[in-house]
Amino acid sequence: MKLTAGLTLLLAAQSAAFAPVPTSQFSRADVSLSMGADEPMSKRKRALKKLTKFAGALATVGFAASGVPSPALASTRAAREAASTVTTAAKSTNDLIKVGAGIGAGAVAAGAAVATVMKGGSAKAAAASSSKVAVKPSGSVEWSVEQGAPTFKLDLDTLPVVEAPFPQATRAFPGALTNSQLVSMMEEVLEGAGYDKSKTLVATSLCCDEVNRPLETDLSEVYNTNFNMGGLAGFPFGGSVSFGAMAAHIPDGGSCAVVYGPHVGVDHDGSIGTVERRGRANGGACCGSAVAASGYVSGVFNGGAKGAIPDDALDAQQAMVGESLLPYAERLEKADNTMKELPFALYDAQTDLMKQILGASSGAVAGEGTTAVLGGIQINTPPGFSDYYLPLSFDLYNNKGEYVKDLLPKTVAKPFPTVENVYPGALTNAELSDKITNALSKAGWDEKKSLVATSLCCDEVNRPLETDLSAIFDTNFHMGGLAGFPFGGATSFGAMASHIPDGGSCLVVYGPHVGVDSTGAAGTVERRGRANGGSCCGSAVAASGYVADVLSGKAEQASLPAIVDAQQYFVGKMLLPYAKQLDKAENKMVELPYALYDAQKELMGKIVTQKADAVADGNVAVLGGIQINTPEGFSDYYMPLSFDLFNNKGELVKKLWA
């Protein structure tokens, strides 16, 4: 599929920018949208939608090129109407669709006409006759503009609808996808699972807030229209009855897909739990129902009275939202950012309810039909920006309500709860990044003037954390070697310090790493493309074997070897003081990274003490812990064990985390 703008438009626009010319001199500019006959109709629809937006953009270019003052650049209805005409005609061709014709030239011509009128010229002279639309036997659709028409019903109070990226959304919720990315992912996954779009019915369970309708509109472009199960905060309050009714509407031989989740706003400042709204000077809570419920839950947690769900439909739903959120009261109270944690708690509550519904009503899906259930968090943004969705689960169920398989692509990192059973208190990479930025922000740090240095093992499984940190601090200096020891030493710290932006500070993140595989075993992890996993960390496991042999008398303590293997020698040497600790451990592989952390903390302390003065006028924040690697497709974790702030004399200023 391709969308191209012809050279004629560019030449016309450039010439007009210097000397406005009569409308008659604008010729046709080619705008083509080429698709093979076998392209899915949903892709055609999206491409045509892009064409509509493209026409609106060309109108703006046309106005600017023709000398219209900036307040008049809002005038785009003509371009949208013209694009709508082209879209309607193009939908009637099922073979190769080629939309050529002067959408862009028409937009430029309209701009020239309006400019003439606004500058006091004659409307008759400025006018150009009606646009013409022609569908040729070849399948091409052409639209052209002639001299002498009115100004295309221009409305100077409207702007084109543009869905721009909103980085604050992904900053607040790493891994979130734009609506269009989500729909494309969903379409691809379901097609791979054997779904036929023409026989698929989509049901949504999203909050009734009007800011949530765009996602339903985007889904409807692919799957015709959507059944709505949702109520306040996104809970599927339609329940089993609504699911059964929806299942009875599935096209013969088809299946259904359910998309659910709470929503949360992110405003221009990046604040979570609020968003600017159309036509309002001040924004407001988003989601209002969720925020109200969290207030109720906090009150109950702190000794307030617990309410009962009323036997009256007047406000029963809100009472149910609060009741469903109560089990997560302590979690919300302890959260660094309650508004960020709130949608995750709501997602968990809604997932429980959705599973109950599936268990009770999946049998209503006829024949061999299945139910694909996509759950996550919908993220609303200010007007003019794309909304986002953070996918947290995508599961396939049969019509007995039985789980079949996980559909979430491996490119979407999801939580791996098994880690928390082995290392309680561990944070996902995203949670860690958020906690770091919050702590440093409170300490008055400017991310643009901060440099991050990492001391993580050279194993490739450790790069994702560095990537996540680089997304915040631009890039990272690498001090680490085998097992995560800062083998770059004092020299590397001094070099890093000389790279800190003027007036800035540095953050050092260090620690050993350990794998946790799909069975929950520590010290090993499945690796990409390998039938069998392997040790993780290999260097650490080898060093622990050496230490055990020295402790038992099976081996002599090694001496410094040639450079070729000096790092592994030092790993073993620095682990020797912890030989008895490891020998007595109930699970040696779980205990090993704690011993390595202690050894690395001692070395890092020496480095900071010796070289902190290389930091010109800033501070040094040092985060130490254990990096935890998980199977492909899951988020890695980090177990923070210390986060200390030092001045440039190497003196401890304060502990950033207790």
Side-chain angles (χ1 to χ4, degrees), residues 9 94 145 171 173 245 313 414 421 589 601 649:
L9 172 62
N94 293 321
V145 180
R171 177 71 179 278
F173 295 93
K414 53 189 175 182
N421 297 330
M589 288 299 102
K601 184 178 182 181
K649 296 178 181 179

Side-chain angles (χ1 to χ4, degrees), residues 200-552:
T200 300
L201 178 58
V202 167
T204 59
S205 183
L206 307 174
C207 182
C208 37
D209 191 325
E210 73 279 358
V211 295
N212 299 315
R213 302 293 75 80
L215 177 55
E216 292 176 333
T217 300
D218 291 342
L219 289 168
S220 294
E221 287 185 1
V222 178
Y223 299 102
N224 187 259
T225 188
N226 70 286
F227 187 100
N228 194 334
M229 296 172 61
L232 288 175
F235 278 86
F237 285 130
S240 298
V241 172
S242 71
F243 186 95
M246 177 275 296
H249 306 167
I250 298 172
D252 294 341
S255 295
C256 64
V258 178
V259 180
Y260 74 95
H263 72 115
V264 62
V266 176
D267 69 12
H268 263 107
D269 296 326
S271 297
I272 301 171
T274 181
V275 74
E276 295 86 350
R277 292 179 181 268
R278 180 179 60 84
R280 294 182 62 87
N282 300 311
C286 184
C287 163
S289 168
V291 171
S294 70
Y296 161 72
V297 165
S298 177
V300 173
F301 182 79
N302 289 292
K306 181 179 180 298
I309 297 176
D311 188 15
D312 185 334
L314 180 64
D315 227 3
Q317 273 197 10
Q318 183 59 31
M320 292 176 188
V321 174
E323 180 74 17
S324 300
L325 195 59
L326 273 174
Y328 307 94
E330 184 174 2
R331 169 175 157 186
L332 292 172
E333 285 289 314
K334 293 181 177 179
D336 289 334
N337 186 330
T338 302
M339 288 300 101
K340 180 171 182 176
E341 186 63 29
L342 179 57
F344 286 98
L346 287 164
Y347 162 78
D348 288 340
Q350 291 176 21
T351 298
D352 288 343
L353 180 56
M354 187 61 74
K355 287 180 178 178
Q356 293 178 44
I357 292 171
L358 290 169
S361 299
S362 288
V365 179
E368 299 298 318
T370 57
T371 303
V373 185
L374 173 63
I377 296 170
Q378 195 175 9
I379 303 157
N380 310 117
T381 63
F385 295 93
S386 172
D387 283 342
Y388 285 72
Y389 186 95
L390 178 63
L392 297 174
S393 60
F394 199 2
D395 300 323
L396 186 67
Y397 294 84
N398 61 23
N399 59 3
K400 296 178 182 177
E402 299 167 336
Y403 173 83
V404 177
K405 64 178 179 179
D406 181 3
L407 296 174
L408 199 64
K410 291 182 178 180
T411 53
V412 178
K414 53 189 175 182
F416 189 61
T418 306
V419 164
E420 298 173 45
N421 297 330
V422 184
Y423 292 98
L427 306 173
T428 64
N429 282 4
E431 291 171 334
L432 178 74
S433 297
D434 185 58
K435 201 171 177 70
I436 290 172
T437 53
N438 284 340
L440 294 182
S441 177
K442 290 177 181 177
W445 283 39
D446 182 348
E447 293 165 9
K448 294 180 180 178
K449 293 184 178 181
S450 301
L451 178 61
V452 64
T454 57
S455 183
L456 306 174
C457 181
C458 38
D459 191 323
E460 73 278 359
V461 295
N462 299 314
R463 302 292 77 80
L465 177 55
E466 292 177 334
T467 300
D468 290 343
L469 291 170
S470 295
I472 302 170
F473 300 101
D474 185 60
T475 188
N476 72 288
F477 187 100
H478 185 72
M479 297 174 61
L482 288 175
F485 279 87
F487 285 128
T491 298
S492 71
F493 186 96
M496 177 273 297
S498 69
H499 305 166
I500 297 171
D502 294 341
S505 297
C506 65
L507 164 69
V508 179
V509 179
Y510 74 93
H513 73 114
V514 61
V516 175
D517 69 14
S518 56
T519 69
T524 181
V525 74
E526 296 87 348
R527 292 179 181 267
R528 180 177 61 85
R530 295 182 62 87
N532 299 310
S535 296
C536 185
C537 162
S539 169
V541 171
S544 70
Y546 159 72
V547 165
D549 286 346
V550 171
L551 181 67
S552 67

